[in-house]
Amino acid sequence: MPLKAYGVLITRAVDTRREGADDTPHYQIHLTDDAGTNYRAAVNVLSQERPSELLYLVDEDFRHPVTDRLEGLTSGWNTLPAGPGGPNLDFVRGNLFDPARMRPLPPDADGPDNDLADVLDHYVRRAVDDPEARLYVFGERWGPENGAQDKVFGFRPGNGVHDIHMNQGNSRRFRGDDGVWQDGGILIHFPGQSRWVGIFLAFQSQFWHTDDITGHALEGADGTRPEPGGQRVRVIAALVNPRGPAPEAETVTVLNASPDRVDLTGWRITDRLGHGSPVPSGPLAPGAFLSVPLTADGARLGNNGGEINLLDAGGLKVHGVSYTGQQGGREGWTVVF
């Protein structure tokens, strides 16, 4: 079953603590909301399963429509309903980043800037020092703990967020936490710089092809991350906001980057909500591109930002991209990825 209490915590960071234990070390963050309520974010830096090193990715200039979807949420804990309709994170379907860019790091090692705790400390400490900075921590809520003292920072009652990492495609041991649109992560907003930083974590034991309903790893699917540049067919452009009245003739352009012909029979273009439009059947020659018209009852490219996924005949994701409202608002311009 999916996480019981998924959502996003919007707060200020006030302190941090590194844990060097070998069993289940975490990077701990002390947070407070605008009402003065204390929270602790427990961020995994070591897996209980081999390989034990976590995968991480930091986007120092994170641009994605999810930041616009967070507008209107209040300081403190915000429960997010299941599904793609809100600002929920999903590493597989949300096109938040390219999984091929993730890299493993040890939890704690001698020397500067060479472990996962160092990476987290670099960005979170900057947020601690900036009174305007806000952390958006996605994961599962725990507490309040009936007046009990927090075991790390000592405030009362104990209260916070964990599972701040990918929460689908788990091994059988942790399969009960699988779900879609419930992945964890940290977004840091620095208003003075008009900038967002995205921090994303995953376990090397997790699969990257998962069921759209359960989030379980698909039988027979390859669980490895995509290799850099390894997608044979990629989404390279989209005409999101054509000139003229609705319904507009939206298109998505795909490129066969491989040296081989690829049969696109049964392939589809889908949007964030899962609406799909068929890709014209037949082979796509090496180096060739194809403009895919989106049917009126199929995938929809909203002008306020969105996600585009390319699925093969078996329903497995081949490639995906996202665009912001700023990109989608330029009438007549093609968004190039």
Side-chain angles (χ1 to χ4, degrees):
M1 62 182 296
L3 302 182
K4 296 179 181 178
Y6 177 74
V8 59
L9 177 65
I10 304 175
T11 51
R12 277 207 66 236
V14 296
D15 198 5
T16 63
R17 186 78 53 82
R18 299 168 63 130
E19 291 181 342
D22 294 329
D23 50 0
T24 57
H26 290 76
Y27 179 83
Q28 307 282 4
I29 311 172
H30 183 186
L31 305 154
T32 61
D33 64 19
D34 290 350
T37 304
N38 291 283
Y39 304 85
R40 174 165 56 89
V43 186
N44 290 76
V45 293
L46 184 71
S47 173
Q48 297 182 41
E49 296 191 324
R50 295 180 181 273
S52 60
E53 296 179 347
L54 262 70
L55 298 167
Y56 87 98
L57 182 143
V58 176
D59 188 339
E60 292 193 340
D61 189 17
F62 181 68
R63 297 170 187 251
H64 190 279
V66 70
T67 58
D68 290 333
R69 297 178 187 130
L70 290 166
E71 292 183 3
L73 296 184
T74 59
S75 177
W77 176 254
N78 294 263
T79 299
L80 298 178
N88 305 41
L89 304 186
D90 191 300
F91 289 9
V92 176
R93 297 157 189 83
N95 303 332
L96 298 159
F97 56 88
D98 180 359
R101 294 174 53 206
M102 299 194 92
R103 295 291 181 267
L105 263 185
D108 194 33
D110 293 335
D113 303 325
N114 61 358
D115 58 52
L116 187 51
D118 287 338
V119 171
L120 294 168
D121 216 39
H122 175 76
Y123 295 99
V124 177
R125 293 305 306 182
R126 285 167 57 191
V128 171
D129 295 337
D130 185 343
E132 293 186 345
R134 292 294 181 270
L135 266 68
Y136 293 69
V137 184
F138 294 79
E140 183 174 42
R141 173 80 182 271
W142 87 78
E145 297 178 320
N146 297 322
Q149 178 175 294
D150 181 77
K151 67 178 184 179
V152 176
F153 296 107
F155 58 78
R156 294 177 185 273
N159 188 29
V161 184
H162 63 164
D163 289 331
I164 307 169
H165 47 66
M166 185 175 180
N167 290 305
Q168 58 183 306
N170 286 299
S171 65
R172 290 196 173 276
R173 180 180 178 186
F174 297 102
R175 201 166 184 253
D177 293 333
D178 282 345
V180 296
W181 298 106
Q182 61 159 37
D183 286 328
I186 300 175
L187 302 182
I188 308 177
H189 188 210
F190 295 97
Q193 306 171 33
S194 299
R195 187 157 65 96
W196 290 79
V197 173
I199 302 174
F200 307 103
L201 304 171
F203 300 113
Q204 295 188 63
S205 57
Q206 290 174 312
F207 280 66
W208 290 84
H209 286 301
T210 60
D211 184 87
D212 288 336
I213 304 299
T214 65
H216 298 328
L218 293 175
E219 293 293 333
D222 183 2
T224 60
R225 289 175 298 128
E227 292 297 325
Q231 294 95 346
R232 295 182 301 161
V233 183
R234 309 176 193 176
V235 177
I236 61 169
L239 182 55
V240 173
N241 187 6
R243 284 178 172 168
E248 304 151 307
E250 299 171 341
T251 61
V252 171
T253 303
V254 300
L255 167 72
N256 179 6
S258 79
D260 305 308
R261 295 166 71 89
V262 177
D263 186 3
L264 302 183
T265 302
W267 288 39
R268 292 185 301 140
I269 296 288
T270 63
D271 59 21
R272 179 181 177 90
L273 298 179
H275 303 125
S277 294
V279 174
S281 298
L284 186 62
F289 63 88
L290 176 67
S291 180
V292 180
L294 302 187
T295 54
D297 58 348
R300 302 162 191 169
L301 307 184
N303 297 345
N304 295 322
E307 292 90 345
I308 304 169
N309 288 307
L310 177 63
L311 309 183
D312 66 15
L316 296 182
K317 180 178 174 180
V318 176
H319 191 225
V321 294
S322 64
Y323 61 93
T324 65
Q326 183 178 14
Q327 292 172 305
R330 302 178 68 196
E331 187 177 22
W333 284 83
T334 295
V335 179
V336 178
F337 304 108

